[in-house]
Amino acid sequence: MKTIQYILIALFLSLCAQAVDAQSDRQFVRNGNKFYREQNYAKAEAEYRKALEKNASNTQAMYNLGCALSRQQKDSAAVTQFETAGKTEKAHLRKAMAYHNIGVICQKRQLYAEAIEAYKESLRHNPNDNATRYNLALCKRLAKKQPPKNNDKNKNDKNKKDNDKKKQQQNKQNPNKNERNEQRQQNGEQMSKDNAEQLLNYAIQEEKATQRRLKQQQRQPQRRRLQKNW
């Protein structure tokens, strides 16, 4: 009897295994959707992965897996799934949704340049999506306010050092030229000072002459002028 019991148990397990194998990728997707609605994202992820094991080209499983990963803060893995879904999917609206989600993740991480490109790609497949268009405009505005990256700052510092080094080398190679430039600069400053003094003296003389004319006019009797009628 025990032997028969063991055989029945083995047969039952075999039938269960066959039933699992018989499940299609769509069934795994439906299971994943059920767990996703229940906010059990880890189990949903597992079901979507099973669906992809059955059918690696199931774009619905790719997209839904990306959503489940994103809910678990697994952003890099989620972006990979959305990119694969966007490239594989043929329906424009679904492609637009995949690239829109990539933009949302990049925007959340303040990767505005990447977010802008993702939103643009989304709008190519669905130009009527106002939410994507709004996010695109917002990212463009935020990108302008974003401070430059350290790489740009280091590049500017390097260029400044290179320019200073070139000037030093030129001064060493042409010391006489450098002296002539300094002498010209000094002469220019001296000429500027002389011109300023001349202009100041001229202004003082003009002011004195104006004061003299005003005093003379005050001494003379004023003449009345008749105003013409209109």
Side-chain angles (χ1 to χ4, degrees):
M1 293 294 294
K2 288 184 178 180
T3 304
I4 295 174
Q5 186 177 3
Y6 290 148
I7 292 173
L8 290 174
I9 292 172
L11 180 61
F12 176 75
L13 293 174
S14 176
L15 290 173
C16 289
Q18 290 177 5
V20 171
D21 290 338
Q23 288 189 45
S24 65
D25 55 320
R26 294 182 180 180
Q27 183 59 48
F28 285 122
V29 170
R30 285 193 287 269
N31 295 341
N33 292 345
K34 176 178 176 294
F35 287 123
Y36 190 91
R37 287 192 296 270
E38 295 172 355
Q39 298 184 1
N40 193 337
Y41 303 118
K43 287 187 176 181
E45 175 190 346
E47 293 297 313
Y48 295 139
R49 291 191 184 280
K50 290 177 184 177
L52 289 172
E53 288 176 2
K54 284 284 185 179
N55 181 7
S57 61
N58 188 325
T59 54
Q60 186 179 2
M62 296 174 195
Y63 177 86
N64 290 2
L65 176 58
C67 293
L69 291 167
S70 178
R71 290 290 186 176
Q72 298 175 80
Q73 308 302 320
K74 300 177 181 179
D75 291 339
S76 298
V79 168
T80 300
Q81 292 300 321
F82 289 135
E83 285 179 343
T84 306
K87 293 176 182 177
T88 309
E89 180 61 56
K90 295 181 180 179
H92 286 289
L93 290 179
R94 289 188 176 183
K95 290 173 80 74
M97 291 169 65
Y99 287 110
H100 174 91
N101 286 358
I102 294 173
V104 170
I105 292 174
C106 293
Q107 181 178 349
K108 181 179 69 174
R109 301 179 69 176
Q110 297 184 353
L111 301 172
Y112 298 123
E114 291 82 351
I116 288 170
E117 292 304 317
Y119 288 137
K120 285 182 178 179
E121 186 64 26
S122 178
L123 288 171
R124 290 187 185 101
H125 299 285
N126 184 14
N128 298 322
D129 192 335
N130 291 328
T132 302
R133 187 175 291 105
Y134 172 82
N135 287 359
L136 174 60
L138 179 61
C139 282
K140 287 182 177 180
R141 195 179 310 123
L142 293 172
K144 292 180 180 179
K145 297 180 180 179
Q146 194 174 39
K149 296 180 180 179
N150 291 333
N151 292 337
D152 296 337
K153 184 177 182 298
N154 294 336
K155 186 176 180 180
N156 293 333
D157 293 341
K158 185 176 181 299
N159 291 336
K160 186 176 182 300
K161 289 180 180 178
D162 292 341
N163 291 334
D164 293 341
K165 189 175 181 180
K166 286 181 181 178
K167 288 181 180 179
Q168 291 177 359
Q169 290 177 352
Q170 290 175 357
N171 292 337
K172 289 180 180 179
Q173 293 174 357
N174 300 314
N176 295 331
K177 183 178 179 181
N178 188 34
E179 291 177 359
R180 287 196 298 271
N181 290 336
E182 290 180 356
Q183 187 175 3
R184 288 175 183 174
Q185 186 176 1
Q186 291 175 357
N187 293 336
E189 291 176 355
Q190 185 63 35
M191 290 176 65
S192 298
K193 290 180 181 179
D194 294 341
N195 291 337
E197 290 178 358
Q198 291 176 1
L199 291 173
L200 180 60
N201 292 331
Y202 178 77
I204 292 172
Q205 296 299 327
E206 283 292 318
E207 180 65 21
K208 289 181 179 179
T210 302
Q211 292 294 334
R212 285 196 296 270
R213 286 195 296 270
L214 288 174
K215 288 180 180 179
Q216 290 176 359
Q217 290 177 1
Q218 289 175 357
R219 292 173 184 172
Q220 295 176 357
Q222 295 182 354
R223 298 179 181 178
R224 292 183 180 180
R225 293 183 180 178
L226 297 174
Q227 295 181 351
K228 295 181 180 179
N229 293 332
W230 289 357

